[in-house]
């Protein structure tokens, strides 16, 4: 189910800031997922390989966004972060907030949370690309949105295997 983000950005730098925050969250999420699988002695499973692959992608996405991000004032960053939480783009309390709510305690919950994050990222990056005044950043956002779509399909496939 796709929803349109109602978060409006005023500049490419604002879009890049939120994109960086989203990618940082994804990196933390996949690092936690790998720890969960390791604690369950499941290091050799295909899911681990897929999560490792997605983790590497998310780190690359963050690096790409950081290349274009020149910075904002701390007050602007604070306002953007609150706006992104209100628009359900960033999870309140970040990854630790999700952990405290028990959303990441098992494989099924982890996959569902990750799938929702990937769907939100793809949708948000497309919306931001449409609002961007920098063609290079817009192209990057759209390209990374396609990669997030691939992650989402992979996560949904793994969820389907759990449900079968």
């Amino acid at each position: 189910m796709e929803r349109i983000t109602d978060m409006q950005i005023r500049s490419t730098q604002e879009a890049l800031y939120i994109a960086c925050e989203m990618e940082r969250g994804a990196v933390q999420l996949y690092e936690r997922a790998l720890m969960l699988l390791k604690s369950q002695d499941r290091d050799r499973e295909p899911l681990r390989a897929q999560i490792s692959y997605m983790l590497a992608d998310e780190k690359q996405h963050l690096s790409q966004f950081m290349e274009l991000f020149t910075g904002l004032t701390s007050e602007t960053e604070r306002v953007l972060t609150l706006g992104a939480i209100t628009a359900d783009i960033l999870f309140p309390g970040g990854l630790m907030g999700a952990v405290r709510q028990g959303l990441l305690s098992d494989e099924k919950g982890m996959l569902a949370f990750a799938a929702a994050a990937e769907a939100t990222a793809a949708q948000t990056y497309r919306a931001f690309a449409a609002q961007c005044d920098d063609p290079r950043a817009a192209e990057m956002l759209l390209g990374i949105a396609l990669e997030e779509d691939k992650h989402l399909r992979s996560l949904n496939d793994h969820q389907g295997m759990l449900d079968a």
Side-chain angles (χ1 to χ4, degrees), residues 46-66:
L47 179 58
R48 187 197 186 292
Q50 184 59 38
I51 290 174
S52 294
Y53 175 80
M54 291 188 299
L55 173 60
D57 273 358
E58 303 299 357
K59 287 179 177 180
Q60 180 61 34
H61 298 165
L62 177 57
S63 176
Q64 288 175 267
F65 288 140
M66 290 298 294

Side-chain angles (χ1 to χ4, degrees), residues 47 107-108 111-112 115 152-164:
L47 179 58
E107 182 178 341
K108 191 169 184 161
L111 289 173
L152 177 59
R153 282 191 298 276
S154 174
L155 291 164
N156 285 337
D157 288 347
H158 284 285
Q159 281 180 313
M161 286 186 268
L162 285 178
D163 294 338

Side-chain angles (χ1 to χ4, degrees), residues 22-54:
M22 292 175 75
E23 293 301 323
R24 282 186 186 98
V27 166
Q28 291 176 342
L29 173 63
Y30 291 128
E31 287 173 343
R32 177 156 180 96
L34 289 174
M35 288 185 334
L36 177 66
L37 291 174
K38 183 175 181 148
S39 74
Q40 297 172 348
D41 291 325
R42 298 174 58 200
D43 280 345
R44 297 191 191 277
E45 291 187 19
L47 179 58
R48 187 197 186 292
Q50 184 59 38
I51 290 174
S52 294
Y53 175 80
M54 291 188 299

